[in-house]
Amino acid sequence: PITRHTATNPHKSSTDPRKAVAHGLRLLSHRPRTESDLRNRLEKRFTTSTTASALQRLRELGYVNDYAWATAYLESTRASLRSAWLLSQELRAKGIAPEIAADVTSLHDDNQAALVAAHAAIRKLSSSRKHQASSLDQRLYKSLVRRGFDSTTIQHTLSQLRSENSI
């Protein structure tokens, strides 16, 4: 039978940093992780000091790099449809330091992202014929607000869409 590690896990008191590093590498082999995520997972099996030693070694080896993780997160397709503000909030929720989140999102072009998001929303909204065309502006506005864009950026995007005859 498969057993889950619980609070009474016998490995919790483990102080062998080599085992902690090996476990960290196993976790990282599945997908990249933030330092915060990795710390939380390692602390379920190892002491706090052992976890800290393992994380230091994994950083030295280049396996843990929150800046690289955050940059990769922003390069994802999903991120291209969100505002820099919302992306920064998501990064911070994932344990990325505020300075790193601010630095990485500073290169994000909100105007371009809003335009891409609006085109995606137009395709989605156009496929549903439940609503009148006159409400398309309102529905686009609400869609962009949900993606974290401010009203100035949204107004600029809607103006640009009108000039392209997209709406």
Side-chain angles (χ1 to χ4, degrees), residues 56-162:
Q56 177 61 33
R57 181 66 180 144
L58 290 168
R59 270 192 305 276
E60 289 169 2
L61 295 171
Y63 290 112
V64 177
N65 182 337
D66 279 354
Y67 191 90
W69 188 94
T71 302
Y73 183 82
L74 258 63
E75 290 171 355
S76 74
T77 305
R78 195 181 121 209
S80 68
L81 302 174
R82 289 175 166 64
S83 70
W85 175 84
L86 185 58
L87 289 169
S88 179
Q89 296 303 310
E90 289 175 1
L91 289 171
R92 292 181 67 192
K94 292 183 181 294
I96 300 295
E99 309 80 44
I100 294 174
D103 190 31
V104 170
T105 58
S106 68
L107 303 175
H108 187 73
D109 183 356
D110 267 2
N111 289 323
Q112 180 61 32
L115 191 59
V116 170
H119 280 293
I122 288 170
R123 282 191 303 276
K124 182 179 178 183
L125 295 172
S126 296
S127 67
S128 67
R129 301 193 187 277
K130 295 177 185 177
H131 303 283
Q132 296 177 356
S134 62
S135 69
L136 185 59
D137 272 15
Q138 291 173 341
R139 292 168 41 218
L140 274 174
Y141 192 95
K142 289 177 182 177
S143 175
L144 293 173
V145 166
R146 284 190 301 273
R147 294 178 184 274
F149 296 103
D150 61 61
S151 62
T152 305
T153 302
I154 294 171
Q155 291 300 333
H156 173 76
T157 301
L158 293 176
S159 295
Q160 192 171 354
L161 291 170
R162 283 186 204 99

Side-chain angles (χ1 to χ4, degrees), residues 23 27 31 33 35-46 51:
H23 187 64
L27 291 169
R31 66 176 175 86
R33 297 181 185 275
E35 183 172 336
S36 174
D37 180 30
L38 201 53
R39 176 181 293 108
N40 291 339
R41 290 175 181 276
L42 288 174
E43 284 183 345
K44 290 178 183 177
R45 298 186 73 178
F46 301 95
T51 296

